[in-house]
């Protein structure tokens, strides 16, 4: 099918938006992708940092890896693997009980060890990078969406930037950000949400989607943490830490230093945000969070040395606490040619986001074939 008459604006270059955009472009639909950040990825971003002594340090500070069970997603991931965009991470898994400072093993952990873990190559954002630059996808970074306006008399969308600039007219719109019509957008930016909830009855589902926040702490050590027997850890009975991942153990990563990413518990992140608010956290707040997370890690009794680099990052609305379109896999209004996709539609993980992006693309593919 070739139908370049259909022009679709995709907001957000996380895995859901990127999958949707690339799928549409492969089917001859003209796609313009808008992303407020410098590059693609969303929570699949890779963070580049430089240590005081000039060493480059790369961290997957969002999603550390992903697993797949759905046949449609398995097919997509197999294609990515054939292109060298993903590889299996064969890490060993452990669970650490902070109440008695011991590793514990259960059948659940055994099952988790046997599940294939995939990582982007050479970073988690490599998948989104490739998808956003596929033929037929015009990607515009550092461009945040300020307003989606439906022009009823013309049956098209007018898209405006955060500064009020006109970004173009489009046949349809895909939004892959759960905050696109949420008061949380206003709390963060001070501006009204880009999408008016009254435009379509389906959008009511987007109002105040509950989310779980998380802090990530990036650490780099001169020497391997030989006292830690696993490269991926979950923590039990800790109020501060939930998981830890050895970044430098992943395939395709530099091993010149040992790098770890720690994730906080939801409760810890909520407590910090309750005190500091949803605005961008200050350096002081991030420094305090980083020190508290590091002390919890050092306090495990695992003989962990002091890192030569540490930096905390806040994911303010990291994980959706509900699924708003488990059956449909995306929110769709055919009259206005509007799709909402993301992990919040299906399940709060990478696989759910991919499924939702594919579903949104499918709606437009079906629509385009009738035009």
């Amino acid at each position: 099918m070739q139908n370049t008459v259909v022009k679709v604006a995709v907001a957000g270059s996380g895995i859901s938006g990127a999958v949707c955009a690339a799928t549409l472009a492969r089917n001859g639909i003209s796609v313009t992708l808008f992303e407020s950040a410098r590059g693609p990825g969303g929570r699949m971003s890779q963070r580049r940092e430089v240590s005081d002594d000039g060493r480059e340090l790369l961290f997957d500070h969002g999603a550390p890896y992903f697993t797949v069970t759905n046949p449609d997603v398995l097919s997509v991931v197999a294609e990515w693997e054939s292109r060298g965009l993903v590889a299996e991470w064969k890490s060993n898994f452990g669970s650490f009980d902070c109440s008695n400072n011991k590793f514990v093993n259960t059948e659940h952990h055994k099952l988790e060890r046997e599940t294939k873990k995939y990582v982007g190559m050479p970073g988690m954002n490599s998948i989104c990078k490739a998808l956003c630059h596929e033929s037929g996808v015009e990607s515009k970074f550092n461009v945040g969406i300020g307003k989606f306006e439906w022009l009823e008399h013309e049956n098209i969308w007018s898209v405006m930037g955060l500064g009020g600039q006109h970004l173009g007219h489009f046949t349809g719109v895909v939004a892959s950000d759960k905050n696109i019509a949420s008061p949380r957008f206003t709390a963060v930016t001070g501006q009204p949400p880009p999408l008016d909830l009254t435009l379509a009855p389906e959008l009511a589902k987007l109002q105040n989607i509950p989310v779980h926040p998380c802090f990530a702490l990036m650490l780099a050590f001169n020497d391997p943490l030989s006292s830690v027997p696993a490269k991926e850890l979950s923590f039990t009975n800790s109020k501060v830490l939930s998981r830890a991942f050895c970044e430098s153990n992943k395939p395709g990563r530099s091993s010149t230093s040992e790098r770890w990413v720690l994730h906080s518990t939801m409760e810890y992140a909520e407590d910090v945000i309750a005190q500091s608010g949803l605005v961008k956290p200050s350096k002081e707040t991030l420094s305090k969070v980083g020190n508290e997370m590091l002390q919890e890690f050092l306090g495990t009794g695992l003989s962990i040395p002091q890192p030569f680099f540490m930096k905390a990052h806040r994911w303010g609305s990291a994980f959706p606490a509900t699924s708003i379109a488990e059956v449909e896999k995306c929110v769709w209004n055919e009259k206005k040619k509007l799709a909402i996709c993301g992990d919040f539609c299906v399940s709060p993980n990478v696989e759910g986001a991919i499924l939702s992006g594919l579903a949104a693309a499918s709606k437009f593919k079906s629509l385009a074939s009738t035009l």
Side-chain angles (χ1 to χ4, degrees), residues 183-211:
R184 289 179 67 87
F185 184 90
T186 304
V188 174
T189 67
Q191 296 196 33
L195 200 57
D196 185 347
L197 283 171
T198 63
L199 283 172
E202 295 87 354
L203 297 181
K205 296 178 181 180
L206 290 171
Q207 192 159 25
N208 295 318
I209 296 173
V211 293

Side-chain angles (χ1 to χ4, degrees), residues 81-362:
E81 198 167 13
S82 71
R83 295 168 60 186
L85 295 177
V86 302
E88 184 184 354
W89 181 27
K90 297 178 181 178
S91 67
N92 56 331
F93 175 87
S95 182
F96 190 83
D97 188 342
C98 292
S99 63
N100 56 23
N101 284 0
K102 287 182 180 179
F103 281 95
V104 294
N105 290 303
T106 67
E107 286 304 308
H108 170 73
H109 300 140
K110 182 175 183 293
L111 178 65
E112 186 156 353
R113 285 199 301 271
E114 292 171 353
T115 305
K116 266 192 175 184
K117 303 182 184 77
Y118 293 97
V119 297
M121 293 284 285
M124 286 298 284
N125 65 343
S126 301
I127 306 165
C128 295
K129 270 186 181 178
L131 296 176
C132 288
H133 291 98
E134 287 209 356
S135 176
V137 179
E138 181 186 8
S139 293
K140 297 187 176 183
F141 299 103
N142 285 313
V143 181
I145 300 294
K147 187 175 183 181
F148 291 110
E149 185 178 5
W150 175 247
L151 306 179
E152 188 76 45
H153 58 291
E154 297 178 50
N155 208 33
I156 59 171
W157 289 93
S158 174
V159 180
M160 283 156 277
L162 277 170
Q165 71 275 32
H166 179 64
L167 298 176
H169 290 115
F170 297 88
T171 317
V173 161
V174 177
S176 61
D177 180 356
K178 57 184 166 291
N179 294 324
I180 204 82
S182 165
R184 289 179 67 87
F185 184 90
T186 304
V188 174
T189 67
Q191 296 196 33
L195 200 57
D196 185 347
L197 283 171
T198 63
L199 283 172
E202 295 87 354
L203 297 181
K205 296 178 181 180
L206 290 171
Q207 192 159 25
N208 295 318
I209 296 173
V211 293
H212 297 322
C214 176
F215 280 94
L217 179 63
M218 297 164 275
L219 300 172
F221 302 87
N222 282 313
D223 300 306
L225 304 190
S226 54
S227 62
V228 183
K231 298 301 183 183
E232 179 195 353
L233 295 172
S234 70
F235 295 95
T236 56
N237 298 310
S238 171
K239 293 182 179 178
V240 180
L241 296 180
S242 63
R243 296 175 83 93
F245 313 92
C246 183
E247 180 67 28
S248 46
N249 179 252
K250 297 177 184 176
R253 272 59 170 179
S254 166
S255 56
T256 53
S257 63
E258 176 128 339
R259 299 178 308 287
W260 285 74
V261 176
L262 313 184
H263 285 181
S264 76
T265 62
M266 171 191 69
E267 294 79 10
Y268 173 80
E270 285 178 338
D271 285 345
V272 174
I273 290 172
Q275 297 171 44
S276 61
L278 277 174
V279 294
K280 185 178 180 180
S282 65
K283 287 184 178 179
E284 291 74 21
T285 296
L286 289 175
S287 177
K288 180 174 182 290
V289 165
N291 283 319
E292 289 176 352
M293 291 177 69
L294 175 63
Q295 290 310 310
E296 186 80 353
F297 195 39
L298 297 177
T300 56
L302 293 172
S303 301
I304 297 167
Q306 286 286 338
F308 70 83
F309 174 87
M310 63 177 284
K311 192 169 190 176
H313 174 83
R314 186 192 73 183
W315 295 102
S317 55
F319 305 103
T322 188
S323 301
I324 65 172
E326 282 186 88
V327 177
E328 306 90 344
K329 297 183 173 56
C330 70
V331 176
W332 172 244
N333 182 280
E334 185 170 343
K335 182 179 183 296
K336 291 186 170 66
K337 296 173 280 294
L338 169 66
I340 312 292
C341 63
D343 57 357
F344 53 94
C345 289
V346 184
S347 55
N349 50 39
V350 173
E351 182 176 30
I354 294 170
L355 269 174
S356 189
L358 291 172
S362 178

